[in-house]
Amino acid sequence: MHSSHAEDKGRTGTAEALLGLLSIHPMSGYELRQLIEESIGNFWNESYGQIYPTLKRLERNGLVRMGEPSGKGRRPAKVYELTEKGREHLQGWLEIPAQRRVPRNELLLKLFFGDMGTTAQVRSQVQAFRDLHQRDLKRYEIKARSIASEYANVPAMPYWLMTLNFGRAESRAMLAWCDETLQACDAIDEQRRHQSSGEVASGPMELPRNEEHDAVG
Amino acid sequence: MHSSHAEDKGRTGTAEALLGLLSIHPMSGYELRQLIEESIGNFWNESYGQIYPTLKRLERNGLVRMGEPSGKGRRPAKVYELTEKGREHLQGWLEIPAQRRVPRNELLLKLFFGDMGTTAQVRSQVQAFRDLHQRDLKRYEIKARSIASEYANVPAMPYWLMTLNFGRAESRAMLAWCDETLQACDAIDEQRRHQSSGEVASGPMELPRNEEHDAVG
DNA sequence: TAGCCCATGTAATTGGTTACATGATTGA
DNA sequence: TCAATCATGTAACCAATTACATGGGCTA
């Protein structure tokens, strides 16, 4: 076990994201933010409020150092570069199993309580989600082609493609789920129409409201 | 627009998760926590540190009220129940489009920088992820069958199935992506073996390290 | 009687976004 | 000259987890 990771108790990867990008080439905090958006922006984000303090901390700990300021006439940017220690830290971190945190999926929360509203509401939520993924999928396809050709000789390229393919697989699955779910909404409406014509026979059953209830799961 | 949602600027759904569960039946903070785990636990979590203060706030605002304490000999639990105002709030919230936040996917972050380590490391990360989803998928399948039969007459059941089917679609897609990605690791190794036998001809190209570099995306 | 489950709450801490403050350079 | 982009930082705030504190009842 790397002792350099012993003190990283609650850290979630902010430092490593910065170190990783600095391993591509030295750059400033400002440039880091830009690059985050256009490279790992689909699955990771950092704000300036995180970036600048983290860079200072990394410098104090000797994982990065300041390099040549990029002047070019304008106010020179503080360019940070990875140190050997930083590189080792990054490599050690790759070894640590990534942990999943429970995501907070607002869409699913709304769907779970969908019976409190209308099928129209649920449909519109699902449709909006579908539109997003449709758009994402297109973006992924385009980007995958462009980086495959543009970085054909860059050794890191296959890894970048992996993360893009993750997005593609996810979005494709989500599109299918949306269609299935929209159909389920139809089925619910269908069901209700049948029920209301034979009203008296079988009304909807309620969950028991006393304390000796069944669990939902 | 519901004026009752005007003040919900930074709120993320904690209150609504509790209100939604209380719409199933009245219960205590403790019981809420249990139920969260076994019903919406795959896509939503709340700790006691959130639940108890939120319940108090909701009571102050008249969205829930205290009902009959559930005694049964032991220390009586404070049972909260949804008020009419709470029900209306919940219904209004269903109308508001769910927003996605950028997730922080640690696995993808590690993969993106995979070239800094070994394919063995990447493989082991992906394999662990695969195992989780394999296990999840089985759980989802079992649960889907059990709630479909157990709650056949509960009107909310189809909505619960939607959230489960989301998990199934996601896990299935993730399994496929994992397999594809493990193969990509093989391809990288294959590539490297070819390269090292014809060493001098074409070494790996590096990304430019000056300031006039290409963007990754 | 020790240990677990029931049950409620507060305090400390962290991780992260947003707003605020500042100012130079560039181009329309 | 006005807006946009480059560029760095701090302060305020918030959401959320974790640790801490307390104590009754049940059962092995």
Side-chain angles (χ1 to χ4, degrees), chain B residues 72-142:
Chain B
K72 276 217 300 191
R74 67 163 65 82
R75 188 236 290 243
K78 292 186 185 177
V79 171
Y80 291 89
E81 56 186 37
L82 202 58
T83 63
E84 195 45 46
K85 195 177 165 190
R87 190 168 295 263
E88 278 161 21
H89 175 93
L90 194 53
Q91 278 159 353
W93 170 78
L94 289 178
E95 193 74 33
I96 302 169
Q99 70 227 36
R100 288 199 292 186
R101 36 177 47 185
V102 189
R104 306 191 119 217
N105 191 324
E106 214 180 300
L107 174 71
L108 290 190
L109 193 62
K110 289 187 196 237
L111 289 212
F112 192 85
F113 302 124
D115 190 51
M116 295 289 292
T118 67
T119 50
Q121 286 175 323
V122 170
R123 270 203 197 82
S124 123
Q125 294 283 354
V126 172
Q127 189 61 51
F129 186 69
R130 194 186 190 285
D131 291 344
L132 284 179
H133 276 292
Q134 184 97 74
R135 205 199 54 185
D136 284 352
L137 189 54
K138 269 185 204 136
R139 273 185 31 237
Y140 293 145
E141 305 281 13
I142 292 168

Side-chain angles (χ1 to χ4, degrees), chain A:
Chain A
M1 181 67 97
H2 277 253
S3 66
S4 52
H5 288 278
E7 63 262 32
D8 302 353
K9 268 187 303 188
R11 308 251 183 261
T12 52
T14 298
E16 289 77 15
L18 300 185
L19 293 174
L21 291 177
L22 289 178
S23 85
I24 299 176
H25 66 89
M27 65 190 109
S28 67
Y30 186 84
E31 204 182 342
L32 275 165
R33 178 79 244 286
Q34 321 285 104
L35 190 52
I36 285 170
E37 256 193 354
E38 57 191 54
S39 61
I40 59 179
N42 293 309
F43 56 84
W44 200 270
N45 191 36
E46 296 294 349
S47 59
Y48 289 124
Q50 289 276 98
I51 292 173
Y52 287 117
T54 302
L55 281 173
K56 288 216 161 155
R57 204 190 77 220
L58 290 174
E59 199 191 7
R60 269 202 313 277
N61 298 352
L63 304 189
V64 302
R65 83 169 79 87
M66 296 249 292
E68 281 299 297
S70 92
K72 273 217 302 190
R74 69 162 65 83
R75 188 237 286 244
K78 294 184 185 176
V79 171
Y80 291 90
E81 56 186 38
L82 203 58
T83 63
E84 195 46 46
K85 195 177 167 193
R87 190 168 295 263
E88 278 161 22
H89 174 93
L90 194 54
Q91 277 159 355
W93 170 77
L94 288 179
E95 193 74 32
I96 303 169
Q99 71 226 36
R100 287 200 296 186
R101 37 178 44 186
V102 187
R104 305 191 121 218
N105 189 324
E106 214 180 300
L107 173 71
L108 290 190
L109 193 61
K110 290 187 197 237
L111 289 213
F112 192 85
F113 300 125
D115 190 51
M116 296 288 293
T118 66
T119 50
Q121 284 175 324
V122 171
R123 269 203 199 83
S124 119
Q125 294 283 353
V126 173
Q127 189 60 52
F129 185 70
R130 195 187 189 284
D131 291 346
L132 284 179
H133 276 291
Q134 184 98 75
R135 205 200 52 184
D136 284 351
L137 189 53
K138 269 186 204 135
R139 272 184 31 235
Y140 294 143
E141 305 283 11
I142 291 168
K143 201 153 180 172
R145 269 192 293 273
S146 89
I147 83 163
S149 65
E150 216 171 326
Y151 300 105
N153 293 315
V154 175
M157 184 272 279
Y159 297 98
W160 302 345
L161 271 189
M162 288 176 187
T163 67
L164 262 177
N165 286 333
F166 184 100
R168 288 163 80 186
E170 194 182 35
S171 284
R172 267 186 262 116
M174 289 301 102
L175 287 178
W177 172 81
C178 284
D179 293 338
E180 176 196 314
T181 302
L182 290 170
Q183 279 186 287
C185 286
D186 295 346
I188 290 167
D189 288 339
E190 209 37 41
Q191 179 76 9
R192 273 217 257 277
R193 221 169 305 137
H194 283 258
Q195 249 165 14
S196 57
S197 38
E199 198 82 67
V200 202
S202 71
M205 206 175 97
E206 288 214 5
L207 264 190
R209 296 195 172 241
N210 57 54
E211 55 195 311
E212 240 50 86
H213 68 282
D214 293 350
V216 168

